[in-house]
Each structure stands twice: as structure tokens, then as C-alpha cells.
Amino acid sequence: MKTKTTKIIFWSGAIFMSLWFGASGFFELTKNPVVWDITRQLGYPPHFIYILGVFKLSGILVLLLPNRLLRLKEWVFAGMFFDIIFAFFSKIVVLGFPATIDAIVAFTVLSVTYLMFRKLYTPELIYGEA
């Protein structure tokens, strides 16, 4: 795969995930009833929902910075994976399998985006290893 194609796939996925997590984080911080009620139904306490919102919005800022904070981007990807995995299992237990479709889509897009990130940035660039 050519570098240009890899960049297009990476930035498409990064923008998609940023919109997804940005909307979610904004709705969590503004107590949007749709997001807030589902998250409360899943058993998460209010203070945790606010923390999720702050971290999601902070993470998308890091994710969208081109060629900067590469090690921190790794942490953002990890945080997004954990968020999606926890959402998936919480939803499957409380709401049933049909409610997990969004988590499956997000996990797939994030996985492809992360793979493209690793193709674009070698461990030497990310971690400063020689």
C-alpha cells in the first residue's frame, strides 16, 4: 500500500473517530439526555461520565495534531480502545447484543486507523528509540 493511501485511510479514520468521540464527549459534559441516560442505565456514576467527556475531548485534540505528540497518540488510541471495549461489554450485559452495533463499528474503524498510524510512524519516531 502506498504512503498516500495509508495517510488517506489514517486521516479519514482519525477524523471519523474524532467526530464520534467529540460528539460523545460533548454530550457527556452537557448532560445530553440520550447519552447521559444510557450511560447511567449501564451503571456508570455521574462523576465518571464527566471524566469520560473531558478525556474524550482532550484525546481528539491530540489525535488531530499532525506529526506531533506521537507517544501521547498511542495513549489516546489505548484510551479509545478501552472505552469501546467497556461500552461493548456493558451494553451486551445490560441492553443486549443489538445495542452493541455502534461499538463494533467504532472498534473496527479504530483498529484500521491504528494500523495505518503504525504504518506511518515507526517505533523509532514514536518512542525515540535508536
Side-chain angles (χ1 to χ4, degrees), residues 16-55:
F16 179 82
M17 294 310 300
S18 294
L19 290 171
W20 188 302
F21 274 79
S24 175
F26 176 78
F27 292 150
E28 287 162 351
L29 291 177
T30 58
K31 286 184 89 169
N32 179 285
V34 174
V35 172
W36 193 266
D37 292 347
I38 290 172
T39 310
R40 293 287 292 146
Q41 185 180 0
L42 295 175
Y44 295 101
H47 68 277
F48 184 74
I49 300 170
Y50 284 118
I51 293 169
L52 277 177
V54 170
F55 281 139

Short mmCIF file of all heavy atoms in Angstrom, two decimals, residues 16-55:
data_model
loop_
_atom_site.label_atom_id
_atom_site.label_comp_id
_atom_site.label_asym_id
_atom_site.label_seq_id
_atom_site.Cartn_x
_atom_site.Cartn_y
_atom_site.Cartn_z
N PHE A 16 -13.11 10.56 11.53
CA PHE A 16 -14.34 9.86 11.91
C PHE A 16 -14.39 9.60 13.41
O PHE A 16 -15.39 9.89 14.08
CB PHE A 16 -14.45 8.53 11.14
CG PHE A 16 -15.66 7.73 11.48
CD1 PHE A 16 -16.89 8.02 10.90
CD2 PHE A 16 -15.60 6.68 12.39
CE1 PHE A 16 -18.02 7.27 11.21
CE2 PHE A 16 -16.71 5.94 12.73
CZ PHE A 16 -17.94 6.23 12.12
N MET A 17 -13.29 9.07 13.98
CA MET A 17 -13.25 8.78 15.41
C MET A 17 -13.29 10.06 16.23
O MET A 17 -13.89 10.09 17.32
CB MET A 17 -12.02 7.95 15.77
CG MET A 17 -12.01 6.55 15.18
SD MET A 17 -13.53 5.59 15.43
CE MET A 17 -13.62 5.51 17.21
N SER A 18 -12.69 11.13 15.73
CA SER A 18 -12.74 12.40 16.44
C SER A 18 -14.16 12.96 16.47
O SER A 18 -14.58 13.52 17.48
CB SER A 18 -11.79 13.40 15.79
OG SER A 18 -10.46 12.98 15.95
N LEU A 19 -14.86 12.83 15.38
CA LEU A 19 -16.27 13.27 15.37
C LEU A 19 -17.10 12.41 16.33
O LEU A 19 -17.93 12.93 17.09
CB LEU A 19 -16.84 13.19 13.95
CG LEU A 19 -16.30 14.21 12.96
CD1 LEU A 19 -16.77 13.89 11.55
CD2 LEU A 19 -16.72 15.62 13.36
N TRP A 20 -16.86 11.10 16.30
CA TRP A 20 -17.59 10.17 17.16
C TRP A 20 -17.33 10.48 18.63
O TRP A 20 -18.25 10.67 19.42
CB TRP A 20 -17.15 8.75 16.83
CG TRP A 20 -17.91 7.64 17.47
CD1 TRP A 20 -18.11 7.42 18.80
CD2 TRP A 20 -18.60 6.59 16.80
NE1 TRP A 20 -18.84 6.29 19.00
CE2 TRP A 20 -19.17 5.76 17.79
CE3 TRP A 20 -18.77 6.26 15.47
CZ2 TRP A 20 -19.90 4.62 17.47
CZ3 TRP A 20 -19.50 5.13 15.17
CH2 TRP A 20 -20.06 4.33 16.17
N PHE A 21 -16.06 10.52 19.01
CA PHE A 21 -15.70 10.75 20.41
C PHE A 21 -15.94 12.20 20.81
O PHE A 21 -16.25 12.49 21.97
CB PHE A 21 -14.25 10.35 20.68
CG PHE A 21 -14.10 8.90 21.01
CD1 PHE A 21 -14.12 7.94 20.02
CD2 PHE A 21 -13.97 8.48 22.31
CE1 PHE A 21 -14.00 6.59 20.32
CE2 PHE A 21 -13.86 7.14 22.63
CZ PHE A 21 -13.87 6.19 21.63
N GLY A 22 -15.80 13.12 19.87
CA GLY A 22 -16.08 14.53 20.16
C GLY A 22 -17.54 14.75 20.50
O GLY A 22 -17.87 15.43 21.48
N ALA A 23 -18.42 14.17 19.70
CA ALA A 23 -19.86 14.30 19.98
C ALA A 23 -20.19 13.63 21.31
O ALA A 23 -20.90 14.21 22.14
CB ALA A 23 -20.66 13.67 18.84
N SER A 24 -19.67 12.45 21.51
CA SER A 24 -19.92 11.72 22.75
C SER A 24 -19.42 12.51 23.96
O SER A 24 -20.13 12.67 24.96
CB SER A 24 -19.25 10.35 22.69
OG SER A 24 -19.38 9.67 23.91
N GLY A 25 -18.19 13.02 23.89
CA GLY A 25 -17.63 13.79 24.99
C GLY A 25 -18.42 15.06 25.26
O GLY A 25 -18.68 15.42 26.42
N PHE A 26 -18.82 15.76 24.20
CA PHE A 26 -19.62 16.97 24.35
C PHE A 26 -20.96 16.65 25.01
O PHE A 26 -21.39 17.35 25.93
CB PHE A 26 -19.84 17.63 22.98
CG PHE A 26 -20.74 18.82 23.03
CD1 PHE A 26 -20.26 20.04 23.49
CD2 PHE A 26 -22.05 18.73 22.61
CE1 PHE A 26 -21.10 21.15 23.55
CE2 PHE A 26 -22.90 19.83 22.66
CZ PHE A 26 -22.42 21.05 23.12
N PHE A 27 -21.60 15.57 24.56
CA PHE A 27 -22.90 15.19 25.13
C PHE A 27 -22.76 14.76 26.59
O PHE A 27 -23.66 14.99 27.40
CB PHE A 27 -23.55 14.08 24.32
CG PHE A 27 -23.99 14.52 22.94
CD1 PHE A 27 -24.02 13.62 21.90
CD2 PHE A 27 -24.37 15.82 22.69
CE1 PHE A 27 -24.42 14.01 20.63
CE2 PHE A 27 -24.78 16.23 21.43
CZ PHE A 27 -24.80 15.33 20.40
N GLU A 28 -21.64 14.14 26.93
CA GLU A 28 -21.42 13.74 28.33
C GLU A 28 -21.23 14.97 29.21
O GLU A 28 -21.76 15.03 30.33
CB GLU A 28 -20.22 12.80 28.42
CG GLU A 28 -20.52 11.43 27.89
CD GLU A 28 -19.31 10.60 27.56
OE1 GLU A 28 -18.18 11.11 27.57
OE2 GLU A 28 -19.50 9.40 27.27
N LEU A 29 -20.52 15.97 28.72
CA LEU A 29 -20.27 17.17 29.52
C LEU A 29 -21.49 18.08 29.63
O LEU A 29 -21.62 18.82 30.59
CB LEU A 29 -19.09 17.96 28.95
CG LEU A 29 -17.72 17.30 29.12
CD1 LEU A 29 -16.64 18.14 28.45
CD2 LEU A 29 -17.40 17.08 30.59
N THR A 30 -22.38 18.00 28.64
CA THR A 30 -23.58 18.85 28.65
C THR A 30 -24.82 18.10 29.16
O THR A 30 -25.92 18.64 29.09
CB THR A 30 -23.86 19.42 27.25
OG1 THR A 30 -24.01 18.35 26.32
CG2 THR A 30 -22.73 20.34 26.80
N LYS A 31 -24.61 16.91 29.66
CA LYS A 31 -25.71 16.08 30.19
C LYS A 31 -26.84 15.86 29.18
O LYS A 31 -28.01 15.88 29.52
CB LYS A 31 -26.27 16.68 31.48
CG LYS A 31 -25.37 16.48 32.67
CD LYS A 31 -26.01 17.01 33.94
CE LYS A 31 -26.80 15.91 34.58
NZ LYS A 31 -27.24 16.25 35.94
N ASN A 32 -26.45 15.63 27.93
CA ASN A 32 -27.46 15.32 26.91
C ASN A 32 -28.21 14.08 27.35
O ASN A 32 -27.60 13.05 27.65
CB ASN A 32 -26.77 15.08 25.57
CG ASN A 32 -27.73 14.72 24.48
OD1 ASN A 32 -28.23 13.60 24.44
ND2 ASN A 32 -27.99 15.66 23.60
N PRO A 33 -29.55 14.14 27.40
CA PRO A 33 -30.33 13.02 27.94
C PRO A 33 -30.10 11.68 27.23
O PRO A 33 -30.11 10.64 27.89
CB PRO A 33 -31.79 13.47 27.77
CG PRO A 33 -31.73 14.94 27.56
CD PRO A 33 -30.38 15.26 27.01
N VAL A 34 -29.89 11.70 25.93
CA VAL A 34 -29.72 10.44 25.21
C VAL A 34 -28.47 9.71 25.72
O VAL A 34 -28.53 8.56 26.15
CB VAL A 34 -29.64 10.67 23.69
CG1 VAL A 34 -29.30 9.39 22.96
CG2 VAL A 34 -30.93 11.27 23.17
N VAL A 35 -27.33 10.40 25.69
CA VAL A 35 -26.07 9.78 26.11
C VAL A 35 -26.06 9.57 27.62
O VAL A 35 -25.69 8.51 28.12
CB VAL A 35 -24.87 10.66 25.68
CG1 VAL A 35 -23.57 10.15 26.28
CG2 VAL A 35 -24.78 10.71 24.17
N TRP A 36 -26.47 10.59 28.36
CA TRP A 36 -26.43 10.54 29.82
C TRP A 36 -27.30 9.40 30.36
O TRP A 36 -26.87 8.64 31.22
CB TRP A 36 -26.89 11.88 30.38
CG TRP A 36 -26.60 12.05 31.82
CD1 TRP A 36 -27.44 11.79 32.86
CD2 TRP A 36 -25.40 12.52 32.42
NE1 TRP A 36 -26.84 12.07 34.06
CE2 TRP A 36 -25.59 12.52 33.82
CE3 TRP A 36 -24.18 12.94 31.91
CZ2 TRP A 36 -24.60 12.93 34.70
CZ3 TRP A 36 -23.20 13.35 32.79
CH2 TRP A 36 -23.41 13.33 34.16
N ASP A 37 -28.51 9.27 29.85
CA ASP A 37 -29.43 8.25 30.36
C ASP A 37 -28.94 6.83 30.06
O ASP A 37 -29.04 5.95 30.91
CB ASP A 37 -30.84 8.45 29.78
CG ASP A 37 -31.51 9.72 30.29
OD1 ASP A 37 -30.99 10.31 31.26
OD2 ASP A 37 -32.52 10.13 29.71
N ILE A 38 -28.41 6.63 28.86
CA ILE A 38 -27.88 5.30 28.53
C ILE A 38 -26.69 4.96 29.41
O ILE A 38 -26.59 3.85 29.95
CB ILE A 38 -27.51 5.21 27.03
CG1 ILE A 38 -28.77 5.23 26.17
CG2 ILE A 38 -26.69 3.95 26.74
CD1 ILE A 38 -28.50 5.34 24.68
N THR A 39 -25.80 5.93 29.59
CA THR A 39 -24.60 5.68 30.40
C THR A 39 -24.98 5.42 31.85
O THR A 39 -24.40 4.54 32.50
CB THR A 39 -23.62 6.87 30.28
OG1 THR A 39 -23.41 7.17 28.90
CG2 THR A 39 -22.28 6.54 30.90
N ARG A 40 -25.94 6.13 32.36
CA ARG A 40 -26.43 5.88 33.73
C ARG A 40 -27.10 4.51 33.81
O ARG A 40 -26.94 3.79 34.79
CB ARG A 40 -27.40 6.98 34.18
CG ARG A 40 -26.79 8.34 34.36
CD ARG A 40 -25.93 8.47 35.58
NE ARG A 40 -26.78 8.39 36.76
CZ ARG A 40 -26.42 7.84 37.89
NH1 ARG A 40 -25.24 7.33 38.03
NH2 ARG A 40 -27.24 7.80 38.91
N GLN A 41 -27.86 4.16 32.78
CA GLN A 41 -28.52 2.85 32.74
C GLN A 41 -27.49 1.72 32.76
O GLN A 41 -27.74 0.66 33.32
CB GLN A 41 -29.39 2.76 31.48
CG GLN A 41 -30.22 1.50 31.38
CD GLN A 41 -31.05 1.47 30.11
OE1 GLN A 41 -31.02 2.38 29.29
NE2 GLN A 41 -31.81 0.41 29.93
N LEU A 42 -26.32 1.96 32.17
CA LEU A 42 -25.26 0.96 32.17
C LEU A 42 -24.57 0.85 33.52
O LEU A 42 -23.75 -0.04 33.74
CB LEU A 42 -24.22 1.28 31.08
CG LEU A 42 -24.73 1.21 29.64
CD1 LEU A 42 -23.65 1.66 28.67
CD2 LEU A 42 -25.23 -0.18 29.29
N GLY A 43 -24.89 1.78 34.42
CA GLY A 43 -24.38 1.69 35.79
C GLY A 43 -23.21 2.61 36.12
O GLY A 43 -22.63 2.50 37.20
N TYR A 44 -22.86 3.51 35.22
CA TYR A 44 -21.74 4.41 35.48
C TYR A 44 -22.20 5.62 36.30
O TYR A 44 -23.25 6.20 36.02
CB TYR A 44 -21.10 4.87 34.17
CG TYR A 44 -20.47 3.73 33.42
CD1 TYR A 44 -21.11 3.13 32.34
CD2 TYR A 44 -19.22 3.23 33.81
CE1 TYR A 44 -20.53 2.07 31.66
CE2 TYR A 44 -18.64 2.17 33.14
CZ TYR A 44 -19.30 1.60 32.07
OH TYR A 44 -18.72 0.54 31.40
N PRO A 45 -21.41 6.03 37.30
CA PRO A 45 -21.79 7.18 38.14
C PRO A 45 -21.56 8.51 37.41
O PRO A 45 -20.74 8.58 36.50
CB PRO A 45 -20.86 7.05 39.35
CG PRO A 45 -19.68 6.31 38.84
CD PRO A 45 -20.19 5.39 37.76
N PRO A 46 -22.27 9.55 37.84
CA PRO A 46 -22.16 10.86 37.16
C PRO A 46 -20.73 11.40 37.09
O PRO A 46 -20.34 11.92 36.04
CB PRO A 46 -23.05 11.77 38.00
CG PRO A 46 -24.03 10.85 38.63
CD PRO A 46 -23.30 9.56 38.87
N HIS A 47 -19.97 11.29 38.16
CA HIS A 47 -18.62 11.86 38.11
C HIS A 47 -17.76 11.16 37.06
O HIS A 47 -16.91 11.78 36.42
CB HIS A 47 -17.94 11.80 39.49
CG HIS A 47 -17.63 10.42 39.96
ND1 HIS A 47 -18.56 9.61 40.58
CD2 HIS A 47 -16.47 9.69 39.88
CE1 HIS A 47 -18.00 8.45 40.87
NE2 HIS A 47 -16.74 8.47 40.46
N PHE A 48 -17.98 9.88 36.82
CA PHE A 48 -17.23 9.14 35.82
C PHE A 48 -17.61 9.60 34.42
O PHE A 48 -16.75 9.68 33.54
CB PHE A 48 -17.48 7.64 35.99
CG PHE A 48 -16.67 6.78 35.06
CD1 PHE A 48 -15.31 6.59 35.27
CD2 PHE A 48 -17.26 6.17 33.96
CE1 PHE A 48 -14.56 5.80 34.41
CE2 PHE A 48 -16.52 5.39 33.10
CZ PHE A 48 -15.17 5.20 33.32
N ILE A 49 -18.88 9.92 34.23
CA ILE A 49 -19.34 10.38 32.91
C ILE A 49 -18.67 11.70 32.55
O ILE A 49 -18.23 11.90 31.41
CB ILE A 49 -20.88 10.50 32.87
CG1 ILE A 49 -21.51 9.13 33.17
CG2 ILE A 49 -21.35 11.02 31.52
CD1 ILE A 49 -23.01 9.17 33.41
N TYR A 50 -18.54 12.60 33.51
CA TYR A 50 -17.85 13.86 33.25
C TYR A 50 -16.38 13.64 32.91
O TYR A 50 -15.83 14.27 32.01
CB TYR A 50 -17.95 14.80 34.46
CG TYR A 50 -19.31 15.44 34.61
CD1 TYR A 50 -20.09 15.21 35.73
CD2 TYR A 50 -19.81 16.31 33.63
CE1 TYR A 50 -21.33 15.80 35.89
CE2 TYR A 50 -21.05 16.90 33.77
CZ TYR A 50 -21.80 16.65 34.90
OH TYR A 50 -23.03 17.25 35.04
N ILE A 51 -15.73 12.74 33.64
CA ILE A 51 -14.32 12.44 33.37
C ILE A 51 -14.16 11.88 31.96
O ILE A 51 -13.24 12.26 31.23
CB ILE A 51 -13.76 11.46 34.42
CG1 ILE A 51 -13.70 12.14 35.79
CG2 ILE A 51 -12.39 10.93 34.02
CD1 ILE A 51 -13.43 11.19 36.95
N LEU A 52 -15.07 10.99 31.55
CA LEU A 52 -15.03 10.46 30.19
C LEU A 52 -15.11 11.59 29.17
O LEU A 52 -14.36 11.61 28.18
CB LEU A 52 -16.20 9.50 29.95
CG LEU A 52 -16.05 8.06 30.39
CD1 LEU A 52 -17.35 7.30 30.14
CD2 LEU A 52 -14.90 7.39 29.68
N GLY A 53 -16.02 12.53 29.39
CA GLY A 53 -16.18 13.65 28.47
C GLY A 53 -14.92 14.48 28.34
O GLY A 53 -14.50 14.82 27.22
N VAL A 54 -14.29 14.78 29.45
CA VAL A 54 -13.05 15.57 29.43
C VAL A 54 -11.95 14.82 28.69
O VAL A 54 -11.25 15.39 27.83
CB VAL A 54 -12.60 15.93 30.87
CG1 VAL A 54 -11.20 16.51 30.88
CG2 VAL A 54 -13.60 16.89 31.51
N PHE A 55 -11.77 13.54 29.01
CA PHE A 55 -10.71 12.77 28.35
C PHE A 55 -10.99 12.57 26.87
O PHE A 55 -10.05 12.57 26.06
CB PHE A 55 -10.50 11.42 29.04
CG PHE A 55 -9.70 11.52 30.31
CD1 PHE A 55 -10.05 10.79 31.42
CD2 PHE A 55 -8.59 12.34 30.39
CE1 PHE A 55 -9.31 10.87 32.60
CE2 PHE A 55 -7.85 12.44 31.54
CZ PHE A 55 -8.21 11.70 32.65
#
